[in-house]
Amino acid sequence: MIPPGETIGILGGGQLGRMIAMAAAQLGYRCHIYAPEADSIAAEVSAQFTCADWDDREAMASFAADCAVVTYEFENVPVVPLRSIAPVPVLPHPRALETAQDRLAEKLFVSGLGGTPAPFASVDSDADITAAIQQIGAPGVLKTRRDGYDGKGQWRIGSLEEVSSLDLPSTPLIYEQFVTFFGEFSVILCRGQDGDIRYWDSAENVHEHGILSRSTVPASAALREQVPAARELAAKVAEALDYIGVLTLEFFAAEHGPVFNEMAPRVHNSGHWTIEGALTSQFENHIRAICGLPLGDAALAAEGVVMENLIGDDAHDWATILADPANHLHLYGKAAARPGRKMGHVTRLVL
Ligand code: AMP
């Protein structure tokens, strides 16, 4: 067990790191943020900040020397430099990062455990695109295998003819069938060092332009029927990776059952509602797990919860949001609003 008072290292400096650091502070831990960008909103609420590139081994080694355990809030942290962190534990284990960083590896891994992703094919050339569309059919989605997030690095393909007009990168891609779904949901679990697994209620997620816009708990009855099978798969993923901490799997609720979309080896935007809406939040249980503490109860703390993301530079009337006693406002302290940038969220409890 890592006792309160020790320092937790967090790789990545965004809002997820900020909320992990705030939960760590509640339990008496100090946090040390490592991020390449100087304007880290996680560092603002943490004791220490190392601003350095991911491959700066000296900076990484001295960061690690200050930490009792290291975790991450960003799944695109390069894995190789993390070797210089040893013997300080990195949790969840970097093998989870490796799996989740590549959409092809991730789908193969999850299929191997009995999960059902949309039919997919690896695309490394123009000929591969043609073959993939012929084999899988259209419509479909072409995605970069690595570094995509919030709908970035994705192209909807209506037909083979459309491909020639696209300006595609020369990086490895994956083509997947467009799934006809009646809802989207996530399974968020936390696995402790003793193998204990806690699940939060699955939120029904609505995306706009590939970005999460709203998460609602409880999800519709039709969608809730698909949760047990999805949880079973998520538990297999967690066990296969000997996973410690919070893990998220995203699913499409389709006619014949849950279709696996992607996994995130970290706390997740669709779990922000757990801060006020669950007995223990995803952030607190993540800290408890990586520090070897008993996990807290993940049960709902209200009749229902709705979390809305505040995205981009839309004008938001904070006073009106705060005047409603059911609302909890979270602002991430980001300086510049840009289209598609997550600036904060509002959690509304149904009591
Ligand atoms: P992703 O970054 O892969 O999670 O994609 C972001 C969002 O795009 C998803 O939550 C869906 O709303 C949509 N999307 C991605 N892939 C597919 C697909 N194969 N079929 C239908 N919708 C998709």
Side-chain angles (χ1 to χ4, degrees):
M1 186 195 93
I2 294 169
E6 293 282 345
T7 297
I8 297 171
I10 302 176
L11 301 163
Q15 65 264 20
L16 300 180
R18 181 178 172 102
M19 289 184 267
I20 294 172
M22 286 159 75
Q26 185 193 323
L27 286 171
Y29 294 100
R30 302 166 77 252
C31 284
H32 187 154
I33 304 296
Y34 188 109
E37 64 283 341
D39 59 342
S40 163
I41 54 170
E44 278 177 7
V45 301
S46 299
Q48 301 282 344
F49 179 32
T50 297
C51 178
D53 288 335
W54 296 123
D55 58 3
D56 183 337
R57 297 205 168 213
E58 224 170 280
M60 188 70 82
S62 74
F63 157 78
D66 184 44
C67 301
V69 62
V70 170
T71 190
Y72 41 88
E73 60 107 54
F74 174 62
E75 73 259 41
N76 292 323
V77 175
V79 174
V80 172
L82 301 188
R83 293 187 190 134
S84 52
I85 289 182
V88 178
V90 179
L91 296 174
H93 192 281
R95 79 174 74 88
L97 270 180
E98 259 172 324
T99 310
Q101 280 174 355
D102 179 347
R103 289 184 188 274
L104 180 65
E106 175 183 89
K107 285 184 206 297
L108 291 169
F109 174 70
V110 169
S111 305
L113 293 172
T116 312
F120 62 94
S122 164
V123 168
D124 294 312
S125 66
D126 289 349
D128 284 354
I129 299 184
T130 308
I133 297 175
Q134 278 165 353
Q135 180 202 331
I136 291 168
V141 190
L142 205 49
K143 299 180 180 179
T144 52
R145 273 172 55 181
R146 292 179 167 274
D147 294 329
Y149 67 98
D150 282 349
K152 293 187 177 73
Q154 298 194 9
W155 299 266
R156 289 273 294 271
I157 309 285
S159 67
L160 186 54
E161 293 68 48
E162 275 178 36
V163 175
S164 54
S165 62
L166 297 176
D167 185 19
L168 297 172
S170 52
T171 48
L173 303 169
I174 186 167
Y175 180 74
E176 56 186 63
Q177 196 173 71
F178 192 81
V179 179
T180 306
F181 56 78
F182 62 84
E184 291 188 73
F185 68 99
S186 40
V187 170
I188 308 183
L189 63 74
C190 186
R191 186 167 180 270
Q193 295 190 6
D194 56 0
D196 181 22
I197 293 183
R198 304 291 169 99
Y199 302 90
W200 284 271
D201 281 53
S202 276
E204 182 154 1
N205 300 325
V206 176
H207 293 81
E208 283 170 24
H209 312 294
I211 305 173
L212 182 70
S213 134
R214 191 170 61 248
S215 291
T216 305
V217 180
S220 69
L223 206 147
R224 286 205 307 274
E225 277 180 19
Q226 304 207 349
V227 170
R231 279 189 180 179
E232 201 182 309
L233 178 65
K236 281 188 193 159
V237 169
E239 272 148 22
L241 293 168
D242 196 11
Y243 197 94
I244 310 291
V246 170
L247 169 71
T248 307
L249 268 72
E250 292 185 67
F251 293 90
F252 303 119
E255 195 189 342
H256 299 295
V259 175
F260 168 78
N261 177 24
E262 62 177 357
M263 63 182 256
R266 54 166 170 77
V267 291
H268 197 258
N269 192 172
S270 64
H272 289 359
W273 64 269
T274 63
I275 297 175
E276 294 90 4
L279 293 178
T280 312
S281 78
Q282 60 169 348
F283 302 103
E284 180 176 342
N285 260 350
H286 185 70
I287 293 297
R288 291 190 191 205
I290 64 171
C291 291
L293 300 171
L295 301 184
D297 192 338
L300 259 178
E303 284 282 303
V305 196
V306 182
M307 188 284 313
E308 302 259 3
N309 269 338
L310 302 174
I311 295 173
D313 51 6
D314 297 352
H316 299 290
D317 181 352
W318 316 132
T320 305
I321 293 171
L322 289 169
D324 185 333
N327 286 343
H328 295 270
L329 176 64
H330 296 252
L331 296 174
Y332 305 149
K334 293 184 184 176
R338 286 194 301 269
R341 194 168 199 211
K342 291 173 179 165
M343 303 301 289
H345 70 267
V346 180
T347 301
R348 186 177 175 80
L349 297 187
V350 182
L351 296 168

